[in-house]
Amino acid sequence: MKVTWGAYGGQAAVIRLGLPPKVLDTDALSETEAVELDRLVAAVAPAAGEERPGRARDAMSYTITVEDGGRSTTLTRSDATMSPAFAALFGWLEEHFARQ
């Protein structure tokens, strides 16, 4: 499974402008990390098509694309529309990339 993570907008938009999204291949993870990431992705997947209304001034937008077995799912949320499951996945990815 390959996961691509990007953050856009907000007050730091100029700083992030032009930065490529971060990519994570589960083959590079330990078995424990890969299982946890798979669990987090599975928790978000049922709500993939649900968009909750809401706007917030200077809100960040986040895109997580999951490619697995020839299928690709893109999840996009903002600070104002983030579900708890998306927040958990986002937080895990953010923490993982901060360690690199």
Side-chain angles (χ1 to χ4, degrees), residues 33-94:
E33 290 175 312
V35 167
E36 179 65 7
L37 180 58
D38 191 48
R39 182 190 70 75
L40 291 167
V41 166
V44 175
E50 297 175 14
E51 276 292 335
R52 295 183 357 214
R55 295 176 56 100
R57 186 179 182 127
D58 294 326
M60 292 288 298
S61 294
Y62 311 99
T63 300
I64 299 172
T65 302
V66 179
E67 298 174 47
D68 191 20
R71 293 179 49 206
S72 179
T73 303
T74 300
L75 309 163
T76 303
R77 297 291 183 266
S78 72
D79 289 330
T81 63
M82 193 179 301
S83 69
F86 187 94
L89 174 58
F90 172 81
W92 190 95
L93 290 168
E94 187 174 45

Side-chain angles (χ1 to χ4, degrees), residues 1 24-40 92 95-96 99-100:
M1 175 170 57
L24 174 63
D25 190 332
T26 56
D27 290 342
L29 298 175
S30 70
E31 185 176 341
T32 303
E33 290 175 312
V35 167
E36 179 65 7
L37 180 58
D38 191 48
R39 182 190 70 75
L40 291 167
W92 190 95
E95 185 176 305
H96 173 80
R99 291 189 306 247
Q100 291 186 334

